[in-house]
Amino acid sequence: MSTSLVEAVGLTREYRRPRRPPIRALDGVDLAIRPGETLGLVGESGCGKSTLGRLLLRLDRPTAGSVRFEGRDLAACDAATLRSLRRRFQIVFQDPYTALNPRLTIGASVSEGLEVHRLAAGAKLRRRVGGLLEEVGLDPADADRYPHELSGGQRQRVGIARALAVEPVFLVCDEPVSALDVSVRAQILALLRRLQERHGLTMLFIAHDLAAVRQVAHRIAVMYLGRVVEEAEADRLVRHPLHPYTRALLSAVPDLDPARGRSRIVLEGDPAGGGVGAGGCAFAGRCWHPARDDRCRREAPMLRTVADTLVACHHAERDPMTTGVPAP
Ligand code: ADP
Ligand code: MG
């Protein structure tokens, strides 16, 4: 019996391209999210975060590997089962403006799921919508307004109310605060944390920014070019990062950086240009770890346990910061 609500096993997704080899957006990802847990997923733009989110919600199909929900393989579910599961999965997108239909009032947008799944109608529906708007920090009277009348933060609150309306058990938030001002960001993150606790939601929280992920996630997985390179309990990952890529991400967030005061680790080149082709560690071309060697270029490191952390680095036992070699 599995204790995870959602589980990915060897999840791989390739996208075909004309006259070029396919892009492997996701490369054999294993991941498990426990009931009531928020897993943070962080990594540079293009590393496969949204692809993973879509596959977990069965909005897309994997090239290889599988997704299990409550122990059931989603690929093996019949259409009726999948339909009933759909209601229990919801997604909150980055850009609340394009996620909302501009011609629908806020009330109509929030009602949509309730009507589709026949969960409420008439006066009961209006009461439920008012309650949802209040729960996300809006005025029930906002139900009569249109998206363009709201601020970015208010629109994201609507996006969250819409997702919550059908009482999901699993919520994917794909960069929900990336488009918002810093001041609004903290409020939305606090709201998500509160809702997660109150409803016992299981969440995948995606962001390219570790500071945002840190505020909501119980556990954090770091992705690099379609693979998870480090995964640990949130505090541990932030205080004792083991992968040189995680270190670099942390050094961009001065408040979190365990090596505070040292110079920022700036990774050169883009991720796609950093790889060394088949076989080696995908991060080798950009790696600044003083112990990096020939093995990194020959042999891809597997995810393994080092001091309560899962990490994919041959040299995870050696702390790169204390070996005295300056970052590039
Ligand atoms: P992230 O969310 O981390 O920014 P994505 O999952 O959106 O990354 O994309 C991962 C990789 O897959 C990128 O190289 C992207 O260009 C590619 N990709 C994503 N979706 C598609 C698609 N529908 N068709 C072709 N390539 C895609
Ligand atoms: Mg994305």
Side-chain angles (χ1 to χ4, degrees), residues 5-6 33-39 168-172 196 199-204:
L5 185 81
V6 188
I33 315 179
R34 292 186 281 268
E37 175 183 59
T38 300
L39 177 69
V169 291
F170 180 46
L171 188 63
V172 171
Q196 188 277 327
H199 297 279
L201 288 168
T202 304
M203 266 184 9
L204 178 71

Side-chain angles (χ1 to χ4, degrees), residues 50-65:
S50 296
T51 299
L52 178 60
R54 282 197 303 271
L55 288 170
L56 293 185
L57 296 177
R58 196 74 184 163
L59 298 172
D60 185 17
R61 288 158 189 255
T63 308

Side-chain angles (χ1 to χ4, degrees), residues 15-16 23 25 43-52 54 174:
Y15 293 110
R16 286 179 221 277
I23 287 190
E44 278 162 301
S45 175
C47 71
K49 305 182 295 298
S50 296
T51 299
L52 178 60
R54 282 197 303 271
D174 192 352

